Amino acid sequence: MIDQSITLAGKAGHEIAASVDGPELGLPVILAHGGGQTRRAWRAVAHRLASHGFRTIAVDMRGHGESAWASDGAYDISDFAADLVEIAAATASKPALIGASLGGLAGIIAEGKCAPGSFGSLTLVDVTPQMEPSGVARVVGFMAAHARDGFASVEEAAQVIADYLPHRPSRKASAGLAHYLRRKDDERFYWHWDPAFIERVTQQGGVSSDHGRTELSAAAACLTLPVHLIRGGSSDLVSLEAVKHFQGLVPHMAYSDIANATHMVVGDENDAFGQSILEFLLGIHEAEMKS
């Protein structure tokens, strides 16, 4: 078992920070987080998969965490997708991909449009081509609200998060939160991600726009690899109607509904989520892991 930080090359050599865990020759599993998160979101799941023989590669998406920001503002879904394709091409064998929200959208485009055959399986965490505009607006609004002006203290940021996630027990500012903030020369605290990312999303109208839905639906219809959709049972982004729409595009998909979880499935119900992930991957990739 190992657990170490590395730097990978994404599109055009864009520097992508990552953490790897598990046996070096284990079946690779790329974990791509949602917008505004970092690879730290996957720690428990990555360790769980690694303990079962998988080689986990949890990445900071471009413009997030310790990965390089895009000086040219290249934050389209296709840019994130291209990074995942490059990372997959550098693995020892065809990897499984687990993508939450932004990471899942990038996965659909990567496998369904950019480079079919890059991945051995695709797990989507509370994301489909058809998402509720109100839910998307809530997420984007939260990310945009303090993108440029930051916070006076870590405690202020903690309160903003508590207001955004009222279903979770209230917590005081913790050392863990510091990993999602950067303190600048003006003594204020800022999110760890490039504000240009969310500004790009709002300029395009987001994934709930007609263009975004059409592009994602077309890419999803081309998916032939094993696909697993995990929905938060209380999600305000992925409705049951959206699940049915996705099933129409990808009839062979597996589906899991995690009770008591919102769009933030990984953080809300990590144990149930991790078990669902593990069962799917072991079932799909068992033969490869024995070879």
Side-chain angles (χ1 to χ4, degrees):
M1 295 281 289
I2 64 170
D3 185 0
Q4 63 179 4
S5 297
I6 60 173
T7 300
L8 304 172
K11 175 185 176 183
H14 192 97
E15 290 190 358
I16 300 294
S19 293
V20 295
D21 199 354
E24 188 172 354
L25 298 180
L27 181 76
V29 179
I30 298 172
L31 299 121
H33 61 74
Q37 297 183 314
T38 73
R39 65 189 192 269
R40 285 177 57 85
W42 298 112
R43 285 180 301 168
V45 172
H47 289 317
R48 187 171 192 167
L49 294 177
S51 70
H52 283 81
F54 292 98
R55 169 76 163 185
T56 62
I57 307 167
V59 302
D60 280 342
M61 304 286 273
R62 63 169 50 212
H64 290 69
E66 296 178 326
S67 288
W69 289 12
S71 59
D72 58 354
Y75 291 119
D76 291 343
I77 293 298
S78 60
D79 296 310
F80 292 103
D83 288 337
L84 294 177
V85 169
E86 290 297 323
I87 293 168
T91 58
S93 57
K94 187 179 295 187
L97 173 62
I98 302 172
S101 200
L102 171 64
L105 295 173
I108 292 174
I109 295 298
E111 178 65 27
K113 181 179 180 180
C114 294
S118 294
F119 305 96
S121 68
L122 174 61
T123 296
L124 304 173
V125 185
D126 207 62
V127 68
T128 65
Q130 301 282 336
M131 293 191 293
E132 294 299 309
S134 59
V136 174
R138 190 179 73 90
V139 174
V140 172
F142 166 75
M143 294 184 65
H146 297 274
R148 288 290 182 184
D149 59 356
F151 306 93
S153 66
V154 176
E155 288 74 19
E156 182 183 344
Q159 184 58 54
V160 168
I161 294 173
D163 293 341
Y164 176 64
L165 302 172
H167 62 287
R168 291 189 187 176
S170 297
R171 296 180 181 178
K172 294 181 179 179
S174 65
L177 179 57
H179 290 280
Y180 295 91
L181 297 168
R182 300 287 185 269
R183 195 171 192 176
K184 296 187 178 181
D185 292 342
D186 61 2
E187 299 299 312
R188 291 182 66 80
F189 294 84
Y190 297 83
W191 294 126
H192 58 84
W193 42 267
D194 186 353
F197 157 64
I198 198 65
E199 291 166 357
R200 180 64 174 167
V201 171
T202 55
Q203 288 170 1
Q204 293 180 317
V207 294
S208 59
S209 67
D210 290 342
H211 173 73
R213 288 175 175 232
T214 299
E215 181 182 26
L216 286 164
S217 293
C222 296
L223 297 174
T224 59
L225 79 176
V227 176
H228 184 198
L229 171 62
I230 300 179
R231 174 182 178 267
S234 300
S235 173
D236 62 345
L237 271 80
V238 178
S239 66
L240 293 178
E241 289 74 18
V243 174
K244 291 179 181 179
H245 173 262
F246 190 61
Q247 287 174 322
L249 298 172
V250 190
H252 63 280
M253 71 167 229
Y255 174 58
S256 299
D257 196 279
I258 306 297
N260 303 317
T262 66
H263 179 61
M264 309 295 285
V265 183
V266 183
D268 288 345
E269 296 290 337
N270 195 270
D271 287 344
F273 171 76
Q275 185 60 32
S276 180
I277 290 283
L278 184 60
E279 290 177 358
F280 173 75
L281 291 182
L282 288 176
I284 294 296
H285 299 288
E286 184 178 13
E288 298 168 68
M289 296 182 70
K290 291 181 178 179
S291 61

